[in-house]
Amino acid sequence: MIKTIRTNSRNNDFIKLVKSLDLDLAQRDGDEHSFFAQFNKIDEIKHVVIVYENKIPVACGAIKEYDKNAMEIKRMFTLPEYRGKGLASVILSELEKWASELQYKKCILETGIKQPEAIRLYKKNSYKLISNYGQYENVENSKCFEKLLK
């Protein structure tokens, strides 16, 4: 049974999932990991979604305000053994709904070219490639996306 909850970054299940995410990213990013890690702190994230399967926390994602019109998607992760079940799309949908409820016009995000499955996920969920924004502006290994909310 799948259950989705809304919480914040102080949630222990979220913290555990993020530790697994960071280990995965450290392997993928190699020498560039410390550059990207500085933008992925979770201390003050107010909007977190966790997916549970049979009461086990298996996937997460978050949004944080980027500017008055946009929420930035952060910390998307699914445990490897639970991938391929559409859980990341469930999280994205819930995060988009939450951002819309909070009156934001769009969601934006950055992902790395070393995460091809993430790029496929965002394209599948109607995110459009945009110019790299903010701290990712001149970063070759970053891809940025946005989706206008309803």
Side-chain angles (χ1 to χ4, degrees):
M1 176 165 154
I2 300 288
K3 178 184 176 189
T4 303
I5 67 159
R6 290 181 178 185
T7 185
N8 61 47
S9 62
R10 290 185 296 276
N11 181 292
N12 285 330
D13 291 335
F14 177 67
I15 292 167
K16 288 177 192 169
L17 286 166
V18 166
K19 285 181 182 174
S20 294
L21 167 62
D22 287 339
L23 288 173
D24 180 73
L25 291 175
Q27 289 179 337
R28 291 176 191 246
D29 294 338
D31 294 341
E32 297 176 319
H33 183 67
S34 59
F35 170 77
F36 291 110
Q38 68 181 318
F39 305 119
N40 290 318
K41 306 291 185 228
I42 63 167
D43 338 359
E44 297 297 320
I45 298 179
K46 299 175 187 169
H47 307 95
V48 168
V49 171
I50 302 172
V51 171
Y52 292 83
E53 185 171 297
N54 300 318
K55 300 183 181 176
I56 298 168
V58 298
C60 65
I63 49 176
K64 72 175 198 177
E65 184 176 272
Y66 180 76
D67 62 30
K68 65 183 174 85
N69 292 313
M71 277 290 207
E72 185 177 24
I73 305 279
K74 302 294 289 180
R75 314 294 24 217
M76 289 288 296
F77 181 70
T78 302
L79 290 172
E81 60 270 30
Y82 292 91
R83 292 179 184 165
K85 297 181 173 190
L87 300 178
S89 291
V90 168
I91 291 170
L92 266 182
S93 177
E94 187 64 21
L95 291 171
E96 292 163 7
K97 181 179 173 189
W98 203 353
S100 187
E101 289 168 10
L102 294 167
Q103 307 298 310
Y104 289 87
K105 308 263 187 278
K106 64 183 176 179
C107 285
I108 61 171
L109 63 93
E110 179 274 342
T111 193
I113 62 171
K114 295 176 183 173
Q115 298 168 59
E117 64 279 85
I119 293 170
R120 285 192 301 275
L121 166 73
Y122 299 127
K123 287 181 176 180
K124 179 177 90 172
N125 283 278
S126 303
Y127 280 76
K128 304 294 180 213
L129 192 63
I130 59 172
S131 297
N132 287 6
Y133 59 84
Q135 63 267 29
Y136 308 109
E137 198 169 344
N138 295 309
V139 180
E140 273 181 39
N141 290 332
S142 288
K143 295 282 183 196
C144 293
F145 292 86
E146 78 174 9
K147 181 177 182 179
L148 300 179
L149 302 173
K150 297 173 186 169

